Amino acid sequence: MIEHSIIFIGLDTHKEFIEVAYIEDQRGATPIHFGRISSAKISIKKLARQFQSKYPSATLHFVYEAGPCGYWIYRLLTSLGNCCYVVAPSLIPKKPGDKVKTDKRDAIKLAKLLKSEDLTPIYVPEPEDEAVRDLSRARETAMKDLKEAKYQLKALLLRNNIHYEGTANWSLKHLRWLTELVLPHPAQQIVLQEALQTITERIARLERLDNELSHHVKNWRYYPVVKAIQALRGVRMLVATGVIAELGDLNRFDHPRKLMAYLGLVPSEHSSGGKRHVGAITKCGNGRARRLLVEGAHSYRYPANISTDLQIRQEGLPKEVVDIAWRAQLRLCKRYQKLIKKGKHYNLVVTAIAREMIAYIWAISKEIVLPRVDPKLRLARVPA
């Protein structure tokens, strides 16, 4: 009987079922289609036991694509003592001439690529980190919904040639003015009242999520990093929480350039022969974290200065963190003005500032000591 050290198992996951294929580690082995199983936890546990009984001396390496099903399969398989990898669909090699796609072929393809080490596993957040990320995203969704409701109400008023004479929109005075409006037709009055009620409900929803986010972030293991990076200009509570919730542990990047590339903030390149062409940024990776950094980069258009609000955020932080934040402000404010004077487009300048901001955030995170995590839950690496 041939003894195997590793069995590579590809999972093509779906809501109701999972297609399974595997390949042995010996040279010239042919991938085998195992079949289709239910996506219930008990079925996955049974699948792992079947492979363990068939290959008692081998280590099981599972792989599946990241998608809407989440990371619970990864956590379940790793809790059983197996290796599991989650890969990004955009990084899976694909032949240009391969025009046939089925669940069976996808599972076989994942198993073969895992064996040949052609897959790049992604970072899997801890359950607590994913929960804070969901809360941060829910707060952002609530803000978008509130803005959409306000736009709809302002469009209604514009169609009826009704203009507010005050200066501050959506203040208490403005809201009182809206409640006193009388539109020409009773049907339009109903639309106005429904819009006002929707805005009131969404304001209350946003306040609830703000309070919950502030409460849970202070009990989060990454809160020291969230608090420390607020020493930077343009990085307040919401931006800091959003960036760290999306990126997780920044110490997994051994150089800030890798973090820049992960966020898609580096320029694309298409060079061949003696010609070198550098284009726009790649926009790969996490788009939400990239957008939050660009929002914070706008504040560097002003001269370097420690405002009262920034000084309050820096109180109680280590001197090394405050020094990094000041060096960042001196460099980025100067670089912003230099690029503007060169005639660079405003969006290009802000993107360049955001790219360097993440490098300073990485440097600050290196100064913060975090509690250790259970090694069993860390991201597994592809075997060499």
Side-chain angles (χ1 to χ4, degrees):
M1 181 178 179
I2 300 176
E3 298 236 347
H4 302 279
S5 59
I6 300 176
I7 302 298
F8 302 95
I9 307 168
L11 306 176
D12 187 56
T13 59
H14 297 276
K15 179 181 177 180
E16 301 293 340
F17 62 88
I18 299 175
E19 204 75 34
V20 183
Y22 68 97
I23 186 171
E24 299 171 348
D25 59 343
Q26 64 186 11
R27 184 179 179 88
T30 304
I32 302 172
H33 178 233
F34 180 85
R36 179 177 294 185
I37 65 171
S38 169
S39 60
K41 291 184 178 180
I42 188 172
S43 300
I44 297 176
K45 291 180 179 179
K46 180 180 177 181
L47 174 70
R49 289 197 301 268
Q50 287 176 335
F51 276 105
Q52 288 169 356
S53 61
K54 185 176 181 180
Y55 302 97
S57 62
T59 305
L60 304 182
H61 288 241
F62 293 86
V63 61
Y64 69 96
E65 297 180 28
C69 294
Y71 303 118
W72 67 269
I73 298 177
Y74 168 88
R75 296 183 180 121
L76 176 62
L77 290 172
T78 52
S79 67
L80 297 174
N82 303 304
C83 296
C84 186
Y85 313 96
V86 185
V87 297
S90 60
L91 298 179
I92 296 177
K94 183 179 179 181
K95 297 179 181 179
D98 191 2
K99 302 297 181 180
V100 180
K101 182 185 183 302
T102 63
D103 296 337
K104 176 181 176 180
R105 287 193 173 201
D106 288 344
I108 292 174
K109 182 179 179 181
L110 286 173
K112 291 172 63 178
L113 290 175
L114 182 62
K115 179 183 177 182
S116 61
E117 302 183 12
D118 289 328
L119 295 177
T120 304
I122 65 173
Y123 173 77
V124 178
E126 304 297 329
E128 179 191 7
D129 304 341
E130 189 177 11
V132 174
R133 186 186 67 181
D134 290 340
L135 184 58
S136 177
R137 290 179 177 179
R139 192 265 172 200
E140 182 177 352
T141 302
M143 174 61 76
K144 290 180 179 178
D145 292 342
L146 176 59
K147 287 183 178 180
E148 182 182 358
K150 289 179 177 179
Y151 291 153
Q152 291 175 355
L153 177 56
K154 293 182 76 173
L156 173 66
L157 299 181
L158 182 61
R159 290 195 300 270
N160 289 275
N161 196 28
I162 300 175
H163 304 283
Y164 178 57
E165 301 298 335
T167 55
N169 284 333
W170 310 114
S171 62
L172 293 177
K173 183 179 179 181
H174 182 221
L175 293 174
R176 285 194 297 269
W177 174 79
L178 288 172
T179 58
E180 297 170 358
L181 286 177
V182 178
L183 295 184
H185 197 278
Q188 291 177 323
Q189 191 68 29
I190 293 175
V191 176
L192 174 63
Q193 296 300 326
E194 288 292 336
L196 288 173
Q197 184 176 355
T198 300
I199 291 174
T200 303
E201 292 174 353
R202 292 183 179 181
I203 288 176
R205 173 193 174 196
L206 183 62
E207 290 177 354
R208 291 194 302 269
L209 288 173
D210 279 335
N211 294 332
E212 291 297 328
L213 185 61
S214 300
H215 169 71
H216 287 282
V217 166
K218 290 180 181 177
N219 299 322
W220 190 26
R221 65 189 182 99
Y222 282 122
Y223 179 66
V225 179
V226 172
K227 185 177 180 181
I229 65 175
Q230 291 183 62
L232 289 168
R233 187 175 184 173
V235 182
R236 298 196 182 190
M237 184 66 178
L238 293 177
V239 174
T241 303
V243 170
I244 300 302
E246 295 294 335
L247 299 181
D249 186 12
L250 299 184
N251 292 326
R252 58 196 174 98
F253 299 96
D254 55 5
H255 198 278
R257 289 196 186 94
K258 294 184 179 180
L259 181 53
M260 296 174 187
Y262 178 80
L263 288 172
L265 287 169
V266 296
S268 59
E269 182 176 353
H270 184 77
S271 300
S272 179
K275 296 182 180 180
R276 182 172 183 264
H277 174 72
V278 178
I281 60 173
T282 60
K283 293 186 179 180
C284 298
N286 195 295
R288 181 168 180 258
R290 182 171 62 250
R291 182 187 58 77
L292 291 172
L293 290 169
V294 171
E295 284 185 3
H298 288 276
S299 63
Y300 289 94
R301 63 184 182 272
Y302 303 109
N305 179 42
I306 302 295
S307 63
T308 303
D309 182 64
L310 183 58
Q311 186 175 4
I312 292 174
R313 300 205 306 264
Q314 292 180 353
E315 290 178 356
L317 294 178
K319 184 178 181 300
E320 295 81 4
V321 172
V322 178
D323 291 343
I324 292 174
W326 178 241
R327 290 198 303 269
Q329 190 172 169
L330 289 175
R331 172 176 171 80
L332 297 182
C333 291
K334 182 179 178 181
R335 180 166 174 77
Y336 185 98
Q337 297 300 327
K338 183 179 179 181
L339 292 175
I340 288 293
K341 289 179 181 178
K342 281 186 175 182
K344 300 294 183 181
H345 192 275
Y346 180 75
N347 293 341
L348 188 148
V349 175
V350 172
T351 304
I353 298 300
R355 179 168 57 247
E356 294 200 21
M357 274 181 64
I358 194 60
Y360 285 106
I361 290 176
W362 176 86
I364 289 177
S365 68
K366 289 289 185 181
E367 302 292 334
I368 307 300
V369 179
L370 294 173
R372 307 187 79 179
V373 184
D374 186 358
K376 294 181 180 179
L377 299 178
R378 289 181 181 171
L379 173 68
R381 298 185 180 275
V382 176

